[in-house]
């Protein structure tokens, strides 16, 4: 069933990529929701693109953005939870730079405006975010056990993050110079992440963007991830957001229940006010993308979008 046109709002393929092998079928299912624009996420393969590209050429779907590393790279070194642009190993860092420029080339070819970038992280010997999440859910963020584990995270993060941030700045500088030399006109949005060891915090994002002033680099404000990091204690997702309003490239629209993300705003939380705090960022963003999980049903997506439009004062 064709549904009401969602206009400038885009929709990420992360919603239905796991149920499709054929790219065209995946895009058609999204377009049937009323979305005219799509964000191609990092799991989209070259094979899927063989049936998506003709749809783009025929004007059946618009591409708002692509999510680095694009198309899909099976090597975990260049996956979404990696050191990526912060690698100390120069061979790996150069490869990460090449792949990001390639993502930008795809975005430009498809008429996209931006590339979503996970810049890197402070590596830990174990998955500390998983441990923290478990304690958060079982004992709460105010428990002594949580505070002790959090202090352990922050001690290592604070000791090492500035070195990784410097590497990321150098890498993004190379990426932007290379993209400019190729005549690419896309922006790079560094995304707020879902694990506390990952870069950037909002303060780190500001540092990176300020260091690259004049380059096409800004913040990709993932609202659900920012809510999670706020709950875990990494930063103030609303207070610090204000200082990045002029640096916004795009937003990922989704809500978080506890520490579970990618739910439909307002609909799944049943809270009609909480998410309002993030509306100014959504309003300001050049690229507005729903990034929802497969558990979100079509009718919930429509209901959430209708609520969001009313909140933003947009009349259909």
């Amino acid at each position: 069933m064709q549904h009401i046109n969602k206009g400038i709002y885009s929709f990420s393929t992360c919603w239905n990529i796991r149920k499709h092998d054929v790219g065209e079928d995946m895009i058609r299912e999204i377009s049937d929701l009323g979305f005219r624009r799509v964000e191609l996420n990092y799991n989209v393969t070259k094979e899927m693109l063989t049936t998506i590209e003709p749809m783009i050429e025929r004007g059946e779907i618009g591409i708002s953005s692509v999510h680095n590393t694009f198309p899909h790279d099976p090597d975990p070194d260049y996956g979404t939870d990696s050191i990526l642009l912060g690698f100390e190993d120069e061979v790996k860092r150069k490869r990460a730079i090449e792949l990001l420029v390639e993502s930008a080339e795809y975005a430009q070819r498809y008429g996209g405006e931006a590339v979503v970038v996970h810049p890197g992280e402070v590596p830990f010997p174990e998955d500390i975010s998983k441990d923290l999440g478990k304690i958060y859910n079982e004992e709460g963020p105010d428990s002594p056990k949580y505070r002790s584990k959090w202090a352990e995270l922050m001690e290592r993060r604070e000791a090492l993050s500035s070195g990784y941030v410097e590497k990321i700045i150098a890498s993004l500088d190379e990426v932007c110079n290379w993209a400019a030399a190729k005549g690419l006109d896309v922006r790079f949005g560094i995304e707020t992440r879902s694990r506390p060891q990952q870069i950037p915090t909002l303060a780190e994002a500001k540092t990176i963007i300020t260091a690259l002033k004049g380059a096409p680099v800004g913040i990709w404000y993932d609202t659900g991830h920012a809510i999670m990091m706020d709950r875990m204690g990494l930063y103030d997702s609303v207070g610090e957001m204000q200082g990045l309003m002029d640096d916004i490239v795009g937003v990922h629209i989704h809500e978080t229940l506890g520490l579970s993300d990618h739910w439909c705003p307002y609909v799944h939380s049943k809270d009609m006010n909480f998410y309002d705090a993030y509306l100014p960022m959504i309003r300001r963003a050049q690229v507005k993308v729903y990034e929802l999980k497969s558990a979100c049903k079509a009718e919930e997506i429509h209901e959430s979008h209708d609520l969001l439009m009313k909140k933003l004062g947009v009349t259909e």
Side-chain angles (χ1 to χ4, degrees):
M1 171 188 117
Q2 289 289 338
H3 207 272
I4 192 156
N5 188 337
K6 305 282 194 300
I8 61 166
Y9 284 78
S10 179
F11 196 84
S12 170
T13 53
C14 80
W15 176 62
N16 62 343
I17 191 152
R18 301 216 180 277
K19 65 188 261 198
H20 292 286
D21 296 319
V22 179
E24 183 180 8
D25 298 345
M26 172 176 73
I27 299 299
R28 237 172 252 305
E29 188 179 24
I30 292 171
S31 123
D32 285 349
L33 292 172
F35 288 96
R36 300 290 164 260
R37 282 152 64 85
V38 165
E39 177 172 290
L40 297 170
N41 84 326
Y42 49 80
N43 285 321
V44 174
T45 61
K46 280 190 171 156
E47 192 183 1
M48 286 178 146
L49 291 174
T50 58
T51 57
I52 295 172
E53 284 178 355
M55 297 180 80
I56 299 168
E57 283 157 19
R58 291 193 298 264
E60 289 175 32
I61 198 71
I63 303 301
S64 63
S65 38
V66 305
H67 195 313
N68 188 61
T69 299
F70 181 89
H72 181 66
D73 191 315
D75 185 340
D77 275 345
Y78 309 105
T80 49
D81 301 314
S82 158
I83 303 166
L84 271 176
L85 300 174
F87 274 123
E88 289 170 85
D89 180 317
E90 272 302 289
V91 174
K92 287 185 173 183
R93 193 177 73 88
K94 292 286 187 202
R95 180 70 184 138
I97 288 167
E98 273 172 32
L99 288 167
L100 180 49
V101 173
E102 187 184 5
S103 294
E105 287 180 297
Y106 272 96
Q108 173 113 344
R109 189 183 313 158
Y110 297 160
E113 297 163 70
V115 181
V116 183
V117 183
H118 290 181
E121 62 180 44
V122 174
F124 274 75
E126 82 287 7
D127 187 353
I128 196 160
S129 63
K130 199 173 178 184
D131 298 342
L132 277 161
K134 193 170 184 298
I135 303 166
Y136 183 101
N137 289 327
E138 287 171 3
E139 302 187 29
D142 296 324
S143 65
K145 197 170 173 187
Y146 186 86
R147 291 191 169 196
S148 155
K149 196 74 180 168
W150 185 260
E152 184 190 320
L153 167 94
M154 290 311 285
E155 187 182 354
R156 182 174 167 90
R157 206 185 191 293
E158 283 165 12
L160 298 176
S161 63
S162 61
Y164 285 103
V165 167
E166 285 306 314
K167 280 266 189 239
I168 288 164
I169 290 167
S171 297
L172 284 169
D173 191 36
E174 288 181 54
V175 166
C176 291
N177 289 336
W178 200 358
K182 285 175 172 279
L184 302 181
D185 181 25
V186 294
R187 295 176 78 196
F188 298 92
I190 51 175
E191 185 180 0
T192 53
R193 302 302 318 282
S194 61
R195 300 179 184 181
Q197 74 271 29
Q198 293 172 325
I199 294 169
T201 61
L202 296 183
E204 287 162 353
K206 194 70 182 174
T207 299
I208 294 165
I209 293 161
T210 304
L212 295 164
K213 199 159 178 55
V217 174
I219 182 97
W220 190 281
Y221 199 92
D222 183 300
T223 55
H225 293 168
I227 292 165
M228 278 167 81
M229 290 306 94
D230 189 315
R231 284 181 185 155
M232 291 186 86
L234 192 62
Y235 52 73
D236 174 355
S237 66
V238 177
E240 292 180 60
M241 179 176 87
Q242 302 309 317
L244 286 158
M245 289 297 248
D246 293 338
D247 304 310
I248 183 71
V249 172
V251 288
H252 277 153
I253 300 167
H254 61 104
E255 202 170 358
T256 300
L257 310 179
L259 296 183
S260 167
D261 54 359
H262 302 290
W263 295 101
C264 296
Y266 303 109
V267 171
H268 287 112
S269 66
K270 308 269 189 284
D271 186 325
M272 288 299 134
N273 303 306
F274 173 78
Y275 198 74
D276 292 0
Y278 302 93
L279 297 178
M281 199 51 122
I282 293 171
R283 199 176 268 118
R284 282 290 284 277
Q286 173 188 347
V287 190
K288 311 172 203 288
V289 183
Y290 284 94
E291 193 181 56
L292 303 176
K293 59 172 62 180
S294 58
C296 297
K297 299 183 178 75
E299 58 272 21
E300 293 166 339
I301 294 164
H302 297 315
E303 186 188 347
S304 183
H305 182 70
D306 290 347
L307 285 164
L308 192 70
M309 291 306 96
K310 286 192 185 80
K311 296 271 190 182
L312 289 166
V314 177
T315 47
E316 298 289 357

